[in-house]
Amino acid sequence: MLVLLPPSEGKATGGTGEPVDTGALSLPGLAAARETVLGELVDLCSGDEEKAADVLGLSPGLRGEIAKNAGLRTAGTRPAAEIYTGVLYDALGLTTLPAAARRAAKRSLLVFSGLWGAVGVGDAIPSYRCSMGVKLPGLGALGTFWRVAMAEVLPAAAGDGLVLDLRSAAYAAAWKPKGEVAERTVTVRVLQARVVDGVEKRSVVSHFNKATKGRMVRDLLVGGAEPVRPGELVEALRDLGYVVEGGAPEKAGRPWALDVVVTEL
């Protein structure tokens, strides 16, 4: 099973590892593209601060991210499992997984990134600020830039197993599974169910969405679940106590779309 995750906006700092080696990260076929984006980002943030803040969409309180980006080539690193923070990653708790689940996470989890394309949770990277929605001078929209390199690398990474796609829309734009890979891909939407005046209403709530996806991945890893087809994933989630609706698409060549319904975190 290959699990595709979005990154977090906020990231831990204080890495003490050797500077990033883009060729040593997971998916080495992305190394050249990573070097291109890294060079553009460092150049941008080493120049005019106002321009960098505008391109990166940074508020005055986040101007320190510019200097951090300018020093990315020499910055200390930490495993990606420690870099990414926030609601989803707090619920996933990568650093507190049992040993077997941690090994499974390193094999199966990919975190998408505007800077790196995608990285494994064991990859050593520095803290950075660059979302997939950014348009870098000379490269344009990163979601568009990454599509070519991703299309060459991700199908092989997916192999012949299940792909669980939990990315947000901006990161999903960088790679869209096609053909038979799409047919064994599952997307998940989390719906919060509430009873209002005796009527059940469902809505997408960001906090519920992120926390539930993180907890769901953790439960699959800890439970040792190894579904290889979408239907097996549905069964595994239901065995873990999740309320799962939806299923196979009506047309071939499209992913399964599941709804996970929750009432509380």
Side-chain angles (χ1 to χ4, degrees), residues 138-174:
L139 293 183
L142 289 176
T144 301
F145 170 82
W146 281 112
R147 284 177 195 165
V148 174
M150 291 287 191
E152 295 177 353
V153 172
L154 264 294
D160 57 2
L162 175 73
V163 178
L164 177 55
D165 189 353
L166 302 179
R167 298 171 296 167
S168 55
Y171 292 89

Side-chain angles (χ1 to χ4, degrees), residues 33-54:
R34 287 170 178 147
E35 282 295 325
T36 297
V37 178
L38 179 60
E40 289 283 342
L41 182 62
V42 169
D43 287 349
L44 170 69
C45 293
S46 299
D48 184 86
E49 183 176 303
E50 291 301 321
K51 180 180 179 180
D54 182 60

Side-chain angles (χ1 to χ4, degrees), residues 94-184:
L94 288 166
T95 60
T96 63
L97 287 170
R102 195 175 305 170
R103 289 193 294 271
K106 288 183 178 181
R107 291 193 305 269
S108 60
L109 271 55
L110 284 179
V111 182
F112 272 60
S113 162
L115 175 54
W116 314 115
V119 294
V121 295
D123 289 344
I125 58 174
S127 182
Y128 67 96
R129 188 83 177 201
C130 185
S131 71
M132 192 66 81
V134 164
K135 295 181 180 180
L136 286 178
L139 293 183
L142 289 176
T144 301
F145 170 82
W146 281 112
R147 284 177 195 165
V148 174
M150 291 287 191
E152 295 177 353
V153 172
L154 264 294
D160 57 2
L162 175 73
V163 178
L164 177 55
D165 189 353
L166 302 179
R167 298 171 296 167
S168 55
Y171 292 89
W175 182 61
K176 296 183 179 180
K178 297 180 180 179
E180 64 90 17
V181 179
E183 293 176 354
R184 49 188 167 83

Side-chain angles (χ1 to χ4, degrees), residues 11-77:
K11 299 173 183 69
T13 57
T16 57
E18 292 296 315
V20 65
D21 178 353
T22 55
L25 303 179
S26 300
L27 307 176
L30 298 178
R34 287 170 178 147
E35 282 295 325
T36 297
V37 178
L38 179 60
E40 289 283 342
L41 182 62
V42 169
D43 287 349
L44 170 69
C45 293
S46 299
D48 184 86
E49 183 176 303
E50 291 301 321
K51 180 180 179 180
D54 182 60
V55 169
L56 297 176
L58 299 178
S59 65
L62 293 173
R63 291 297 180 92
E65 301 291 310
I66 298 172
K68 184 169 71 175
N69 281 348
L72 281 172
R73 290 196 180 277
T74 57
T77 58

Side-chain angles (χ1 to χ4, degrees), residues 165-239:
D165 189 353
L166 302 179
R167 298 171 296 167
S168 55
Y171 292 89
W175 182 61
K176 296 183 179 180
K178 297 180 180 179
E180 64 90 17
V181 179
E183 293 176 354
R184 49 188 167 83
T185 296
V186 178
T187 63
V188 173
R189 179 177 64 166
V190 177
L191 299 177
Q192 180 194 12
R194 296 177 300 140
V195 176
V196 180
D197 296 329
V199 178
E200 183 182 86
K201 296 186 177 181
R202 295 178 177 183
S203 58
V204 177
V205 180
S206 178
H207 190 81
F208 275 73
N209 177 60
K210 294 176 181 178
T212 301
K213 286 180 177 178
R215 187 171 64 249
M216 184 174 66
V217 173
R218 183 182 180 89
D219 288 345
L220 288 168
L221 292 170
V222 172
E226 296 182 355
V228 296
R229 290 294 180 267
E232 295 175 16
L233 174 66
V234 173
E235 293 178 5
L237 289 174
R238 287 174 176 164
D239 288 344

